[in-house]
Amino acid sequence: MIIVMKARASTAQVSAVVKRIESMGYRAHLSQGEETAIIGVVGDDRPIDHSQFELLDGVERTMPVLKPFKLASRDMHPADSLIPLNGNKVGAPEVVIIAGPCSVESRSQILETAHAVKEAGATALRGGAFKPRTSPYSFQGMGEEGLALLAEARQATGLPVVTEAMSPEQVPLVAKYADVIQIGARNMQNYYLLNAAGESGATVLLKRGMMSTIEELLMSAEYILAKGNTQVMLCERGIRTFEKYTRNTTDINAVPVLKQLTHLPVILDPSHSTGKWEYVSAIAKAGVAAGADGIIVEVHPNPTEALSDGAQSLKPEKFAQLVRDIRRVAEAVGRQ
Ligand code: PEP
Ligand code: MN
């Protein structure tokens, strides 16, 4: 951190700041200019609450120098992290495609969808058993029965399973059935859940909160990484804006921004970010063109009867066409 003193700060005020820095175990680097003094704190000062210094007499403002996220940062880990998924490595040149229904609804629905997405070329199967619904009266998911059906679909197709855990208590249960634990947008800042997912050691797909900044997403990833779990993928799933023609606004910028800031793989969710199946394909392709390491798409054999998110779900034939299109976009941008 850099501390900028007020123009007329006294020598005594400058020394008091230097003393304070040293009393906390850091070195202070004083640069006395003609009008003002600037003091650099030498060392990793991220644990310090900067506002403590802003309250000291003679201090004008403080400026952080280090990024607040350490383990997620490319500064610490310049090479891309590669996360194994079904013989692929997420983050490697091959773009991964995770597909399936919003919710597991029945044995026939999940098996039919799993076979269809596998046939079309999906890397992994998605499907929620515990659903974070806005209304308590909406379908809440099949719970453990849904997890068992996902495991059966994996057995039948060989596709690894991505499914959500909503509370720390659910993590061991979900980890028992799933290959990847999803942390949903509404739970991105549920720090107990992040800690539990970190402790589980399972691969985690962390979705960006609909009202969270990129930095907040990275700070949430930092919780999982800080527990020693390096198997983390990030997901841009759209943010809330004033625009009403789509459910959310795809923050396509987040893809290259995240790829620059972090070594963790980035997945784009064009289903939740648009909310309408008509736009899913265009935005999925845009995500791959922008550098996403994969996409996660909702697919339902009969969207008009889906118990959740039917409006944004692709029918299997549309999904198969999307996979063909993505292949061409991937090749065009040097991916596979
Ligand atoms: C989902 O993946 O079905 C879901 C609920 O996503 P999000 O948390 O991004 O809203
Ligand atoms: Mn959904």
Side-chain angles (χ1 to χ4, degrees), residues 102 126 131-132 164 182 184-186 207 237 272 298 309:
C102 178
R126 64 148 289 147
K131 293 304 300 179
E164 179 159 355
Q182 175 172 319
R186 291 157 189 79
K207 300 188 91 174
R237 48 78 72 208
H272 293 86
E298 287 185 341
D309 288 350

Side-chain angles (χ1 to χ4, degrees), residues 46 65-81 218-219 221-222 225 234 258-264:
R46 275 173 283 218
V65 173
L66 295 172
K67 296 196 179 79
F69 45 90
K70 185 155 60 171
L71 301 171
S73 170
R74 260 206 205 274
D75 300 343
M76 279 281 284
H77 189 297
D80 288 326
S81 277
L218 290 168
M219 293 311 292
E222 195 75 13
L225 297 169
L234 304 173
L258 283 167
K259 290 303 291 180
Q260 184 180 63
L261 290 174
T262 179
H263 51 92
L264 300 172

Side-chain angles (χ1 to χ4, degrees), residues 126-147:
R126 64 148 289 147
F130 296 107
K131 293 304 300 179
R133 304 307 302 279
T134 303
S135 165
Y137 309 117
S138 301
F139 175 61
Q140 301 289 308
M142 292 180 76
E144 188 168 1
E145 199 186 339
L147 294 177

Side-chain angles (χ1 to χ4, degrees), residues 101-103 126-128 130-133 164 182-187 205 207-210 235-238 247-248 269 272-273 296 298 308-309 312:
C102 178
S103 303
R126 64 148 289 147
F130 296 107
K131 293 304 300 179
R133 304 307 302 279
E164 179 159 355
Q182 175 172 319
I183 295 184
R186 291 157 189 79
N187 270 314
L205 178 73
K207 300 188 91 174
R208 178 181 178 183
M210 57 196 86
C235 178
E236 165 59 41
R237 48 78 72 208
R247 179 177 178 184
N248 290 290
D269 176 346
H272 293 86
S273 76
I296 180 165
E298 287 185 341
S308 62
D309 288 350
Q312 65 195 34

Side-chain angles (χ1 to χ4, degrees), residues 166-168 183 186-195 220:
M166 296 207 300
S167 69
I183 295 184
R186 291 157 189 79
N187 270 314
M188 188 202 86
Q189 288 182 312
N190 180 339
Y191 300 114
Y192 290 105
L193 177 58
L194 296 170
N195 284 336
S220 290

